[in-house]
């Protein structure tokens, strides 16, 4: 409790009234009152005389209300002035009560007790509000963190669902490709067998015709032989003899090409098992090239610079073929016309190999280059790309304990570099699979 009065008698008397129930501080001027009110232990209530020299009670109250530490301290004015206007001015200036001197002890204690209880109630309410605000902030932060975590889970779930959908599409495509390859393979086998038989029959017919030529040349009736020779000339027999052989040869080549495509399609469609196997990277690239060649042959050439000493590597051929296909198709899309794709393989120490797939296409801008492996990121028009190709590729490479990087110059082209180990362990693959699920 702070009592402020410039009259020592009044100061001592009021302090004595309060001393039994409260700890009392006293000040005999406005400045001393301000120093005590804004000090390290501000009072809970101030009894302030109005009429004081140098700084009156109204000025002290105005200064208190401007100070952040003392602005909420309740003030009761004490004055000998009894005019109603003075009381109104005191209350309007911010005082909580107005007492006239001389004041009776019981009235003073009752007014003080009321204001102390109100002050304590306000303090408790303020503390509760502060605690409530802190609790609300904590709950809000917790909810925000939960929402962010939920959003991340939802995004991850959406990504997983899209990957599952893509995997299901690829599985369906694989089944369809395997079925189509099987259906094509049967009639191709028939045609191939029939071509072999036709080739033998043609050789036999030519042998018969040759024998007939020799016999007709010694026939007694030369007019029949002349008719026979005229028919051969009319039908351009010599051309037929040469062209039928060439036609059969070209048919054999075409069928061999179809059989190769079917074999590559069946190999690509085969999803494999959980068992690791050794395979030739060159064979995988070649079979994948054979499948996508129709998309590339009209706009670019392919230069294969294979290392002769490249060893077979251990892994999942069909999955790496998927990576090769994504990179080759992307390279083809980057080339508008008359471009070139270069495929280079080399050993990288004793336990690794490197594969580079370069194109002379449009290149990738630096701002896009930082996001090419992000799921669903694509620079292709809507409906022409899912943005999953490279995201799936990097997961497959990581599953094989490898590394994939990209260097690109806008207008000059792009190079993807794959570094793969020659040997894998099932434990490493399973650990990597767990990390990437």
């Amino acid at each position: 409790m702070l009592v402020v009065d410039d009259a020592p008698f009044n100061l001592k008397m009021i302090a004595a009234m309060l001393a039994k129930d409260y700890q009392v501080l006293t000040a005999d001027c406005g400045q001393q009152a301000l120093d005590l009110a804004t000090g390290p232990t501000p009072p809970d209530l101030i009894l302030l005389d109005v009429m004081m020299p140098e700084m009156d009670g109204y000025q002290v109250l105005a200064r208190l209300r401007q100070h952040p530490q003392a602005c909420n301290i309740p003030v009761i004015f004490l004055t000998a002035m009894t005019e109603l206007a003075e009381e109104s001015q005191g209350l309007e200036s911010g005082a909580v009560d107005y007492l006239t001197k001389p004041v009776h002890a019981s009235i003073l204690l009752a007014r003080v007790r009321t204001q102390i209880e109100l002050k304590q109630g306000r303090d408790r309410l303020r503390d509760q509000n502060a605690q409530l605000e802190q609790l609300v902030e904590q709950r809000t932060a917790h909810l925000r963190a939960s929402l962010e975590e939920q959003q991340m889970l939802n995004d991850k779930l959406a990504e997983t669902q899209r990957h599952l959908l893509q995997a299901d599409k690829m599985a369906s495509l694989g089944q369809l490709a395997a079925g189509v390859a099987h259906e094509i393979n049967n009639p191709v086998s028939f045609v191939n067998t029939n071509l072999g038989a036709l080739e033998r029959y043609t050789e036999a017919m030519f042998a018969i015709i040759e024998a007939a030529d020799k016999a007709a040349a010694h026939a007694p009736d030369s007019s029949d032989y002349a008719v026979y020779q005229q028919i051969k000339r009319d039908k351009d027999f010599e051309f037929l003899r040469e062209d039928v052989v060439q036609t059969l040869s070209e048919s054999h080549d075409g069928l061999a090409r179809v059989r190769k495509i079917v074999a590559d399609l069946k190999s690509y469609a085969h999803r494999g098992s959980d068992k690791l196997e050794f395979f030739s990277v060159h064979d995988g690239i070649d079979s994948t090239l054979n499948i996508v060649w129709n998309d590339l042959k009209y706009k670019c050439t392919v230069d294969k610079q294979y290392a002769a000493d490249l060893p077979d590597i251990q892994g999942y051929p069909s999955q790496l073929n998927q990576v090769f296909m994504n990179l080759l198709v992307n390279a083809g899309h980057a080339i508008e016309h008359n471009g070139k794709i270069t495929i280079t393989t080399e050993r990288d120490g004793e336990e690794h190999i490197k594969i580079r797939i370069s194109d002379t296409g449009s290149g990738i801008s630096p701002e896009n280059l930082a996001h090419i492996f992000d799921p669903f990121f694509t620079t292709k028009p809507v409906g022409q790309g899912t943005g999953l190709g490279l995201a799936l590729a990097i997961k497959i490479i990581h599953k094989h304990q490898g590394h994939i990087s990209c260097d690109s110059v806008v207008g000059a082209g792009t190079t993807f570099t794959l570094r793969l180990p020659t040997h894998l362990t099932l434990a490493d693959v399973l650990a990597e699979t767990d990390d990437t699920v």
Side-chain angles (χ1 to χ4, degrees), residues 187-246:
V188 166
S189 298
F190 298 152
V191 173
N192 190 58
T193 301
N194 291 340
L195 270 179
L198 182 59
E199 193 171 24
R200 294 192 300 273
Y201 299 160
T202 302
E203 292 174 357
M205 290 174 61
F206 286 153
I208 294 172
I209 292 172
E210 187 175 353
D213 281 343
K214 293 179 180 179
H218 298 86
D221 188 351
S222 60
S223 61
D224 292 337
Y225 178 70
V227 172
Y228 170 70
Q229 290 295 335
Q230 185 61 44
I231 292 173
K232 289 176 62 178
R233 287 191 293 273
D234 292 342
K235 301 300 183 182
D236 201 356
F237 177 74
E238 294 303 323
F239 170 76
L240 292 178
R241 181 197 292 270
E242 295 177 2
D243 193 55
V244 73
V245 173
Q246 184 177 354

Side-chain angles (χ1 to χ4, degrees), residues 273-279 313-317 319 399-400 423-430:
S273 65
D274 289 336
K275 182 180 179 182
L276 297 174
E277 59 180 295
F278 284 92
F279 66 97
I313 68 170
Q314 192 178 28
Y316 300 95
Q319 294 184 17
K399 181 178 179 180
H400 285 75
H423 292 76
L424 294 176
T425 63
L426 186 58
D428 290 338
V429 175
L430 290 177

Side-chain angles (χ1 to χ4, degrees), residues 116-342:
I116 289 295
E117 290 176 353
L118 289 173
K119 169 76 163 49
Q120 291 173 343
R122 288 194 296 269
D123 290 344
R124 286 194 298 270
L125 182 60
R126 184 184 65 249
D127 293 341
Q128 290 173 355
N129 285 338
Q131 293 175 0
L132 182 60
E133 289 178 0
Q134 184 178 7
L135 181 61
V136 169
E137 289 179 0
Q138 292 174 351
R139 292 287 180 87
T140 301
H142 178 70
L143 288 174
R144 186 180 295 110
S146 297
L147 287 174
E148 291 176 354
E149 182 180 3
Q150 186 65 40
Q151 184 62 44
M152 290 176 61
L153 291 174
N154 289 340
D155 293 343
K156 191 171 184 179
L157 178 60
E159 178 183 351
T160 302
Q161 289 175 337
R162 289 186 176 92
H163 276 300
L164 289 175
L165 179 61
Q166 182 73 3
D168 185 62
K169 288 180 178 179
M170 292 304 299
S172 300
L173 178 61
Q175 294 175 359
L176 177 63
V180 169
H182 177 73
E183 292 301 321
I184 293 175
N185 201 43
N186 286 337
V188 166
S189 298
F190 298 152
V191 173
N192 190 58
T193 301
N194 291 340
L195 270 179
L198 182 59
E199 193 171 24
R200 294 192 300 273
Y201 299 160
T202 302
E203 292 174 357
M205 290 174 61
F206 286 153
I208 294 172
I209 292 172
E210 187 175 353
D213 281 343
K214 293 179 180 179
H218 298 86
D221 188 351
S222 60
S223 61
D224 292 337
Y225 178 70
V227 172
Y228 170 70
Q229 290 295 335
Q230 185 61 44
I231 292 173
K232 289 176 62 178
R233 287 191 293 273
D234 292 342
K235 301 300 183 182
D236 201 356
F237 177 74
E238 294 303 323
F239 170 76
L240 292 178
R241 181 197 292 270
E242 295 177 2
D243 193 55
V244 73
V245 173
Q246 184 177 354
T247 300
L248 288 172
S249 176
E250 291 174 353
S251 298
H252 276 300
D253 291 342
L255 279 177
R257 170 74 174 161
V258 172
R259 291 170 69 91
K260 181 67 168 59
I261 293 174
V262 169
D264 290 337
L265 194 59
K266 290 175 69 176
S267 174
Y268 185 83
H270 176 60
R271 304 310 300 172
S273 65
D274 289 336
K275 182 180 179 182
L276 297 174
E277 59 180 295
F278 284 92
F279 66 97
S280 167
V281 169
H282 293 163
D283 289 347
I285 296 175
D286 288 342
S287 63
T288 305
L289 263 176
N290 204 29
I291 294 172
V292 302
W293 181 240
N294 191 61
D295 292 334
L296 305 178
K297 63 183 180 182
Y298 298 108
K299 59 170 69 174
C300 64
T301 59
V302 175
D303 179 18
K304 294 186 289 187
Q305 300 178 6
Y306 289 169
D309 62 342
L310 195 75
D312 288 353
I313 68 170
Q314 192 178 28
Y316 300 95
S318 60
Q319 294 184 17
L320 287 176
N321 285 351
Q322 176 71 51
V323 176
F324 300 150
M325 174 174 282
N326 289 338
L327 297 181
L328 289 169
V329 169
N330 286 347
H333 289 168
I335 296 173
E336 292 186 6
H337 52 79
N338 298 329
K340 181 180 180 181
I341 296 175
T342 303

Side-chain angles (χ1 to χ4, degrees), residues 92-110:
E92 289 174 359
S93 63
V96 297
D97 206 346
Y98 196 96
L99 295 175
T100 58
K101 294 186 284 188
V103 61
H104 195 276
S106 60
I107 295 177
L108 175 64
L109 290 173

